[in-house]
Amino acid sequence: MIVVFSGAGLSAESGIPTFRGAGGLWEGYKIEEVATPLGWMQNQKLVLDFYTQGFEKMQQCQPNAAHFAIAELANHFNVVCITQNIDTLLEKAGVKDVWHIHGRIDHEKCEWHFDIPPMYAQWQCNYKAQINKPVQWGDLCPKCGKHLRPDVVWFGEAVDMRVDDLYKIQSQVEVFIVVGTSAQVYPAANLLKFFQAVPTKYFIDPNPNYEVLDGFNVLEGKATEYLPALVESLKEELA
Ligand code: OAD
Ligand code: ZN
């Protein structure tokens, strides 16, 4: 089994800026205003504007050679594809069943129910749906009537790490590929520790985070430069 764990760098060459680079996705916006539950409570319109821009941008972008290489890998081997990206370029490239641990831009869900005491009711109804246009100001949940919001994980919110599934696969993983992430955002970055003992590990990034490279074969460069070639060599090695 092969695990591919990706971050914003995977989609950089498709035209989606990374978060922490210059001209990054947050530029012009304060993270706490557009990507926290408090920001949502204070200014829903601003948050929706930010994600509408993101939605439109991401819909226009096309997968790059690195996304297609991951799809090719998944055609040949048992691959678990875990991404922090909310774009759907891996799906567009043909990867089925991507684990979007930070949510995905093409889904909507129901907002938090701050007015309901947590001991009496769930804080969020479980409505979630695929969308082909961004959530608009005034769009209400068909199930409970609260406001809809993008299905993305904000700071301070729980990340769906699928821990049970991770423990099921941990001992079966032969190759772990990390691509395009600063590995600074937790709990996502814990995956590097979780798969520490995997025999063969690769880290592809033009500016890798040297603090997390223990045991990795470091391929210092862009995803499109290294991933297609790595996939071809794995196809030969593991055939
Ligand atoms: P970052 O913006 O923190 O890091 C992007 C990484 O991609 C950096 O290490 C870059 O060097 C690298 N990179 C840039 N161009 C690349 C290329 N062409 N090929 C390969 N790598 C390249 O993005 P993430 O690590 O994904 O979370 O950020 C993690 C999380 O922080 C995001 O999912 C988001 C953000 O807050 C949420 O929104 C919850
Ligand atoms: Zn609802």
Side-chain angles (χ1 to χ4, degrees), residues 168-195:
K168 275 185 211 144
I169 64 170
Q170 189 180 29
S171 63
Q172 299 164 41
V173 181
E174 295 156 278
V175 181
F176 180 41
I177 303 171
V178 179
V179 54
T181 179
S182 61
Q184 282 177 17
V185 174
Y186 289 84
N190 280 332
L191 283 173
L192 273 65
K193 281 255 156 58
F194 189 81
F195 290 119

Side-chain angles (χ1 to χ4, degrees), residues 50-68:
F50 175 73
Y51 285 99
T52 295
Q53 271 181 35
F55 184 98
E56 281 161 4
K57 171 113 199 156
M58 289 178 199
Q59 291 293 95
Q60 286 160 12
C61 289
Q62 297 305 320
N64 63 48
H67 297 104
F68 285 116

Side-chain angles (χ1 to χ4, degrees), residues 17 21 42 46 61-62 65 73 78 93 95 119 154 157 176 193 195 208 227 236:
Q42 286 171 340
L46 180 77
C61 289
Q62 297 305 320
L73 194 69
N78 188 1
V95 186
M119 57 289 250
W154 289 331
E157 294 186 325
F176 180 41
K193 281 255 156 58
F195 290 119
L227 221 109
E236 277 176 24

